[in-house]
């Protein structure tokens, strides 16, 4: 029996559509992985399936009523946090006094989703407990939604959607932002749901090595065209350049561009000691995030920062980037100056290039990509000072390095999530910073672009005295230039 069928489907938006009519069917018992390059059209294809990108009548058919209620689509684009995220700004997680007391908590929203999803049966209660255990949600139930880290936000959205028991569950990049243990547990949970419940699962994946075993078929989207569905295990991917830490694949960064990065002029001299934390502790209410942390980063070192979801990685980085007001109460020195000794946050930020899921989430203005990149020159989320032509030329140079020069005039919200991430990466590099802080920089990037970005990072850090802090939940994504590592333990109280 056919669950969903698209037959010669075209959309009502000819100026923003697939390159050719779409033919696709989801048959009963099938579970699909949709793959393809960044910007290939994966999200648009999903929007056609769900009706968000409307087609002409009769081109999309479902074997069930009320598709809106029976198809659950979870997108993990970091730009968006949901209906309760309208007032989100970059530093809000660290400024709890700014939060409206009526802002919902994780527990209240999950209970609301659970109650709306159906009758409170022992079977559903057991499923809820299982989901809470897998995602370690119990300690988060009293936490405001707006204070969740990127990984915690993904767990919350997954849990609330799984409660609704739809017929078809569509998830875009569900594994990014999750630590390794949680990724494995989520795959097991999805496999169980696919076997024991009448639930068909569609995953949209940027990382082709994350296709779970329960997936039965793969659909590749290439150049705004939906290719024929093939059985999982027998497909030949059109993209021969797969990410490989061992360097077995061809370079994604051309030798000409690599030499251009290496040939950039040296920056100004900075202090030998970039970061020093002395017994730093951070608490929010009854919750301990960091406890008695000692950490020193010297000029030219390249660090990996890791830890489970909720262990305090983003909080640590907020102290380094001067976004967290608690830094003034801690014994912290940045670039040779003790916090609170008179330097402004702009004195600190001018040395730092930064990208993170929180930053991605805070960019919601639909402005041209080149203006997003140029905001990195001014250390602002928006662009309030107009750059001169020389500064715009630097922006175009870095966009070309990241392979997105053709997107300079495209507005931010018209791009795919992966294209947005490349724009924000160019923003981080544009002022040639002394300290690069890259928090999950490869989120949502396809195999080729992940390799490209790491090769850019490696070339950049081969230059004199460049310092790096790199955060990832995937150890095989660490660039080869890493010299030091720090692992944060999650505190239970």
């Amino acid at each position: 029996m056919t669950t969903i069928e698209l037959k010669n489907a075209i959309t009502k938006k000819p100026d923003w559509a697939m390159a050719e009519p779409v033919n696709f069917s989801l048959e009963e018992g099938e579970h699909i992985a949709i793959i393809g390059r960044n910007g290939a059209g994966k999200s648009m294809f999903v929007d056609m399936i769900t009706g968000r990108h409307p087609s002409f009548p009769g081109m999309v058919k479902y074997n069930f009523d009320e598709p809106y209620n029976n198809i659950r689509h979870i997108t993990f684009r970091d730009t968006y946090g949901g209906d309760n995220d309208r007032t989100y700004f970059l530093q809000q997680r660290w400024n709890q006094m700014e939060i409206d007391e009526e802002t919902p908590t994780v527990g209240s929203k999950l209970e609301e989703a659970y109650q709306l999803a159906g009758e409170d049966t022992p079977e559903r209660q057991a499923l809820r407990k299982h989901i809470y255990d897998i995602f370690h949600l119990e300690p988060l139930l009293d936490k405001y939604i707006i204070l969740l880290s990127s990984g915690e936000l993904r767990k919350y959205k997954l849990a609330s959607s799984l409660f609704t028991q739809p017929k078809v569950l569509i998830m875009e990049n569900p594994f990014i932002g999750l630590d390794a243990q949680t990724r494995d547990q989520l795959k097991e949970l999805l496999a169980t749901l696919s076997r024991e419940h009448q639930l068909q699962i569609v995953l949209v994946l940027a990382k082709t090595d994350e296709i779970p075993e329960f997936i039965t078929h793969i659909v590749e989207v290439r150049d705004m065209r939906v290719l024929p569905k093939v059985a999982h295990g027998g497909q030949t991917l059109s993209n021969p350049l797969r990410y490989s830490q061992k360097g077995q694949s061809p370079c994604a960064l051309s030798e000409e561009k690599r030499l251009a990065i290496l040939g950039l002029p040296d920056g100004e001299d900075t202090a030998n000691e970039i970061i020093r934390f002395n017994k730093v502790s951070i608490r929010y209410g009854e919750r301990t995030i960091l406890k008695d942390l000692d950490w020193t980063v010297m000029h030219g070192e390249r660090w990996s920062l890791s830890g489970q979801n909720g262990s305090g990685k983003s909080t640590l980085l907020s102290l380094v980037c001067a976004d967290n007001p608690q830094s003034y109460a801690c014994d912290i020195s940045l670039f040779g100056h003790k916090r609170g000794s008179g330097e402004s946050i702009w004195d600190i930020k001018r040395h730092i290039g930064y990208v993170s899921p929180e930053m991605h989430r805070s960019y919601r203005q639909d402005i041209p990509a080149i203006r997003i990149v140029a905001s990195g020159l001014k250390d602002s989320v928006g662009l309030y000072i107009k750059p001169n032509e020389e500064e715009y030329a630097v922006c175009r140079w870095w966009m070309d390095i990241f392979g997105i020069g053709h997107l300079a005039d495209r507005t931010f919200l018209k791009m795919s999530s992966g294209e947005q991430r490349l724009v924000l990466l160019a923003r981080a590099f544009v002022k040639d910073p002394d300290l690069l802080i890259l928090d999950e920089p490869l989120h949502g990037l396809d195999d080729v672009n992940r390799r490209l970005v790491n090769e850019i990072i490696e070339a950049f850090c081969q230059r004199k005295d460049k310092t790096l802090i790199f955060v990832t939940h995937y150890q095989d994504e660490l660039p080869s230039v890493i010299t030091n590592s720090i692992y944060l333990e999650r505190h239970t109280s």
Side-chain angles (χ1 to χ4, degrees), residues 447-463:
D447 298 327
V448 178
N449 281 326
R450 283 187 291 139
R451 184 167 181 85
L452 171 66
V453 170
N454 260 6
E455 289 175 0
I456 293 171
I457 293 168
E458 289 166 356
F460 186 88
C461 289
Q462 286 173 12
R463 296 168 57 212

Side-chain angles (χ1 to χ4, degrees), residues 270-275 295-303 335 351-353 433-438 457 460-470 481-484:
T270 56
N272 287 330
E273 189 179 82
I274 301 297
I275 301 167
W295 187 39
T296 302
V297 175
M298 302 302 293
H299 201 48
E301 291 180 342
R302 281 91 66 182
W303 284 78
F335 301 99
H351 296 290
I352 299 173
D434 300 303
L435 171 61
L436 265 179
I437 299 179
L438 305 179
I457 293 168
F460 186 88
C461 289
Q462 286 173 12
R463 296 168 57 212
K464 180 182 177 182
D465 295 332
K466 292 299 182 183
T467 307
L468 171 69
I469 301 173
F470 190 104
V481 293
I482 295 296
T483 58
N484 305 75

Side-chain angles (χ1 to χ4, degrees), residues 53-68:
H53 206 63
S55 301
F56 289 95
M59 291 182 174
V60 182
K61 297 179 180 179
Y62 310 96
N63 78 340
F64 45 79
D65 296 328
E66 299 181 350
Y68 178 80

Side-chain angles (χ1 to χ4, degrees), residues 140-365:
L140 301 179
L141 296 181
D142 64 343
K143 195 171 184 179
Y144 288 128
I145 295 287
I146 206 149
L147 296 181
L148 296 179
S149 70
S150 175
E152 291 169 338
L153 181 63
R154 281 167 166 76
K155 292 179 178 182
Y156 155 73
K157 293 180 74 174
L158 278 165
S160 59
S161 294
L162 290 172
F163 288 160
T164 63
Q165 297 182 296
K167 293 185 180 297
V168 178
L169 179 62
I170 303 174
M171 293 180 285
E172 297 194 31
N173 293 316
F175 306 114
I176 64 174
L178 302 179
D179 56 58
Q181 181 183 15
T182 304
R183 290 198 304 270
D184 290 340
Q185 290 176 330
L186 176 57
K187 289 178 182 179
E188 292 177 8
L189 174 63
L190 294 177
T192 299
L193 292 172
S194 70
R195 289 193 309 266
E196 299 179 2
H197 300 260
Q198 291 184 335
L199 173 67
Q200 291 183 256
I201 297 172
V202 177
L203 303 181
V204 184
L205 300 173
K207 288 168 62 67
T208 56
D209 52 3
E210 283 194 331
I211 300 174
E213 292 183 2
F214 70 84
I215 290 296
T216 62
H217 292 79
I218 293 176
V219 173
E220 183 179 358
V221 182
R222 188 197 316 167
D223 299 328
M224 305 303 289
R225 291 174 170 82
V226 178
L227 303 187
K229 178 175 61 180
V230 295
H232 182 203
Q235 79 285 357
T236 300
L237 300 180
S238 66
N239 169 22
L241 182 51
R242 296 286 305 281
Y243 179 88
S244 171
Q245 177 65 19
K246 301 302 182 182
Q248 296 173 348
S249 300
C251 291
L253 181 68
S254 71
E255 182 65 8
E256 179 184 3
K257 290 182 178 179
R258 190 184 73 84
L259 292 174
I261 294 171
L262 291 173
L264 290 172
D266 293 336
E268 61 184 74
D269 291 333
T270 56
N272 287 330
E273 189 179 82
I274 301 297
I275 301 167
R276 181 178 61 79
F277 284 17
N278 182 32
K279 304 297 181 185
V280 169
S281 297
I282 299 292
R283 290 181 62 86
Y284 289 104
E286 299 299 317
R287 184 176 287 109
T288 298
I289 309 300
L290 300 175
K291 185 176 182 180
D292 295 331
L293 177 64
D294 293 316
W295 187 39
T296 302
V297 175
M298 302 302 293
H299 201 48
E301 291 180 342
R302 281 91 66 182
W303 284 78
S304 70
L305 169 61
S306 58
Q308 290 181 300
N309 295 125
S311 61
K313 299 184 298 298
S314 295
T315 299
L316 184 154
L317 296 181
S318 74
L319 297 169
V320 176
C321 293
D323 290 325
N324 194 322
Q326 290 202 42
S327 63
Y328 292 103
C330 299
D331 186 356
I332 296 175
S333 295
L334 301 174
F335 301 99
H337 299 282
K338 184 175 175 58
R339 290 294 280 129
S341 61
E343 85 292 356
S344 72
I345 63 171
W346 310 113
D347 292 328
I348 296 169
K349 287 181 178 292
R350 69 186 181 90
H351 296 290
I352 299 173
Y354 176 56
V355 69
S356 71
E358 284 78 15
M359 171 172 285
H360 196 160
R361 186 177 166 195
S362 68
Y363 269 97
R364 292 174 295 174
Q365 289 183 303

